[in-house]
Amino acid sequence: MRRFLMSLLVLAFVAGLVVFGAVGWWLHEPLTLKPQPGSLVLDLEIEPGTPAQRVAGVVAASGVDVQPVLLYAWFRLSGQARQIKAGSYEITPGTTPRTLLSMLVRGEESLKSVTFVEGWNFRQVRAALQKAEALKPDTQGLDAQAIMAQLGKPGVHPEGRFFPDTYTYAKGSSDLAVLKRAARAMDKRLEAAWALRSADTPLKTPDEALILASIVEKETGKPSDRPEIGGVFSNRLRIGMMLQTDPTVIYGLGEQFDGNLRKRDLQADTPYNTYTRTGLPPTPIAMPGKAALLAAVQPAQTKALYFVARGDGTSHFSSSLDEHNRAVNKYQRGQ
């Protein structure tokens, strides 16, 4: 009898080792995935409040060749079943049961990104959001005023109010959430720039700084010219001279602009025509980046009142009209 009991104990011990080894092997063995044609990954959506048992079923339903009961047992055995976080995930080839659970517990969601480029206008921002992958289009059907109201900025013109940068987001995020982050980023950048403004700046408010920065952004071909361009416009504002900058006129034309700025466009009075009106236009005309913001509030100390593009991205700066006309003849008319 004693021998029989000893044999049973030995068999139980051996069986335990076999089970333990099998479990250990399974935990480190890559799961078999059955993705959609043309894809190598599986999308996994875990809704808030989903219990661990249901999570195991969702994993299997997403295309992972695994028994939900076995996966749920692993969740429970690990002691982390209640730590699984809701979110959007990507299951890639080579994922094991152990790495899968780690991803779900850490909340390592699959992230997408959208980029807003320096100098873009609000129409271009909206177009980028519409093309962004897996971004919920909550702004679709809303006009600019409604969007700004949703962002907590009712009555604020949207142009230039979003900082140009790359923003990451989880699948299914709202485009409003991305815009809110970009608006918050611009508020912080503008506040920081305004705190660094030169003592003799002609700008009276942060909003004026944002408007001038947007003009500097659109006028700059070579980044190193930004402070000098800011200096030219600051000098003109200081003496009440018209800014006479083409980008503001083009912005005022809106979608009517066909790429060719005509003499009649420069003569047609609009709130954005800086050839017919002194001072700054009523709103920014584009999204300025950090360098343009600094060039607006800390312009170069210069006597220049004019500049003209050389044709290679750089600009020639002049302090007198005669010198400017000579530069125009040289660089624009080839004389």
Side-chain angles (χ1 to χ4, degrees):
M1 188 65 177
R2 182 178 297 177
R3 290 182 180 180
F4 178 71
L5 291 175
M6 287 297 296
S7 298
L8 287 178
L9 288 174
V10 171
L11 288 173
F13 178 73
V14 172
L17 289 177
V18 171
V19 171
F20 182 80
V23 170
W25 172 85
W26 178 77
L27 289 177
H28 293 85
E29 184 69 11
L31 294 163
T32 301
L33 309 184
K34 297 180 291 185
Q36 295 294 323
S39 176
L40 295 177
V41 302
L42 293 176
D43 291 323
L44 177 64
E45 298 287 339
I46 305 298
E47 298 294 333
T50 305
Q53 186 174 10
R54 176 59 184 154
V55 170
V58 173
V59 170
S62 69
V64 179
D65 188 10
V66 65
Q67 289 294 326
V69 174
L70 185 60
L71 194 58
Y72 174 57
W74 157 232
F75 292 165
R76 289 293 303 275
L77 182 64
S78 69
Q80 296 178 302
R82 295 185 178 182
Q83 299 176 32
I84 294 175
K85 295 179 176 61
S88 300
Y89 301 91
E90 285 185 349
I91 304 178
T92 59
T95 299
T96 68
R98 182 180 290 276
T99 58
L100 172 64
L101 179 59
S102 177
M103 177 178 68
L104 297 178
V105 169
R106 291 174 180 271
E108 297 172 354
E109 297 185 71
S110 59
L111 299 178
K112 302 297 180 182
S113 66
V114 61
T115 299
F116 300 154
V117 179
E118 294 175 349
W120 272 9
N121 59 37
F122 189 56
R123 290 198 308 274
Q124 291 170 302
V125 169
R126 295 198 67 176
L129 291 174
Q130 290 174 2
K131 295 177 182 178
E133 184 181 357
L135 192 60
K136 189 178 178 183
D138 286 335
T139 62
Q140 189 172 355
L142 299 179
D143 62 17
Q145 290 181 342
I147 290 174
M148 295 306 287
Q150 289 280 342
L151 297 177
K153 295 177 177 289
V156 177
H157 195 277
E159 204 63 75
R161 296 291 173 174
F162 306 96
F163 189 73
D165 204 348
T166 296
Y167 297 92
T168 58
Y169 58 89
K171 288 182 179 180
S173 296
S174 170
D175 56 2
L176 275 171
V178 175
L179 282 178
K180 184 170 290 187
R181 289 168 56 200
R184 198 179 301 124
M186 180 58 83
D187 288 344
K188 291 181 179 179
R189 294 286 188 177
L190 179 58
E191 181 182 0
W194 185 246
L196 298 173
R197 65 190 182 279
S198 299
D200 62 345
T201 179
L203 303 172
K204 299 178 179 62
T205 65
D207 277 2
E208 287 190 355
L210 184 62
I211 294 171
L212 180 55
S214 72
I215 297 173
V216 172
E217 191 68 78
K218 295 299 290 184
E219 281 282 18
T220 301
K222 185 178 181 181
S224 60
D225 283 345
R226 284 195 184 99
E228 191 85 4
I229 292 173
V232 168
F233 288 131
S234 291
N235 288 343
R236 289 192 169 206
L237 288 171
R238 197 173 285 113
I239 64 176
M241 183 179 178
M242 289 182 179
L243 297 185
Q244 295 182 318
T245 169
D246 292 353
T248 63
V249 179
I250 292 171
Y251 182 80
L253 293 173
E255 297 183 11
Q256 298 177 10
F257 180 63
D258 61 3
N260 184 20
L261 190 63
R262 301 170 177 82
K263 184 177 181 179
R264 66 172 183 266
D265 298 325
L266 300 179
Q267 296 173 339
D269 183 49
T270 74
Y272 291 90
N273 192 335
T274 50
Y275 285 85
T276 61
R277 301 192 183 195
T278 58
L280 294 164
T283 73
I285 61 172
M287 294 188 301
K290 179 181 177 181
L293 287 169
L294 289 176
V297 299
Q298 289 185 340
Q301 296 299 313
T302 176
K303 294 182 179 180
L305 289 170
Y306 308 89
F307 64 93
V308 63
R310 290 193 176 102
D312 61 356
T314 64
S315 297
H316 179 90
F317 297 88
S318 306
S319 57
S320 70
L321 183 57
D322 286 342
E323 181 187 353
H324 176 64
N325 287 336
R326 289 194 296 271
V328 170
N329 287 333
K330 177 179 180 180
Y331 297 112
Q332 299 292 312
R333 297 169 183 162
Q335 297 177 9

